Amino acid sequence: MLANEADTFFKVMTDYAERQSQTSDDGISRGRAWTITVEFTALLHRHCARHHDVAFYADRLNITSDYLNTISRRNLGDTAKAYISMRLILLVKSLLATTDLSVKIIANRLHYDDPSYMCRIFRRHTGMSPIEYRNHARHSPVSYSNSL
């Protein structure tokens, strides 16, 4: 269920960004920066389980990482790196809540070189370890989705 919510969230974000890329409220074209933002969100939806670095997305968009972070901050409210991290945390939460996969296997599936690194990132974003999150999600199914 959480996986579907995360996918739906990013699809809605991508659709919204695509609609907004056409014109602004006053009918003026958004321009190249907004188009890049839309393309970034679409790439992120497709590739974030495998590619965690801003450079991958910037390279695909033929821009620098700094420029991608700048336009992401301007158009989405946060850096590209923050959006990548948010998407990864949603994927980890989904796998923890809906499967019995070990933390090591989840880290491997999401292409983390070191499971302990994934755990540190997860704790930084959620305030709890992956195992604590899984236990919390299993014992209070309503409240874990609110922690997204």
Side-chain angles (χ1 to χ4, degrees):
M1 184 170 106
L2 185 59
N4 290 339
E5 287 179 22
D7 281 341
T8 301
F9 171 75
F10 279 95
K11 286 178 184 175
V12 168
M13 287 286 293
T14 301
D15 290 344
Y16 172 76
E18 286 174 353
R19 283 192 312 274
Q20 294 299 315
S21 71
Q22 304 303 316
T23 58
S24 63
D25 291 339
D26 56 6
I28 299 171
S29 178
R30 290 279 189 175
R32 174 94 172 110
W34 191 259
T35 302
I36 291 170
T37 303
V38 171
E39 291 171 1
F40 166 64
T41 58
L43 284 170
L44 180 61
H45 183 70
R46 286 192 302 271
H47 298 288
C48 95
R50 181 173 293 276
H51 300 284
H52 307 173
D53 57 323
V54 175
F56 169 81
Y57 300 98
D59 210 34
R60 286 284 185 103
L61 296 167
N62 297 314
I63 59 175
T64 66
S65 296
D66 287 341
Y67 184 60
L68 180 55
N69 276 315
T70 299
I71 62 173
S72 177
R73 189 178 302 113
R74 184 179 347 135
N75 292 323
L76 298 173
D78 217 335
T79 64
K81 182 60 180 170
Y83 269 82
I84 294 167
S85 293
M86 180 178 62
R87 176 69 173 150
L88 286 166
I89 294 302
L90 286 172
L91 288 172
V92 173
K93 283 180 173 184
S94 174
L95 290 169
L96 289 168
T98 61
T99 71
D100 289 325
L101 296 174
S102 71
V103 171
K104 184 176 180 177
I105 290 173
I106 291 171
N108 186 36
R109 282 194 178 181
L110 296 178
H111 298 274
Y112 281 97
D113 294 332
D114 181 10
S116 64
Y117 176 71
M118 183 194 79
C119 291
R120 283 193 308 273
I121 298 296
F122 188 85
R123 182 180 292 276
R124 188 178 308 141
H125 285 274
T126 64
M128 59 180 87
S129 73
I131 298 303
E132 290 170 333
Y133 180 83
R134 174 176 276 160
N135 291 336
H136 179 72
R138 299 236 168 116
H139 290 91
S140 54
V142 174
S143 64
Y144 80 86
S145 63
N146 294 334
S147 63
L148 290 174

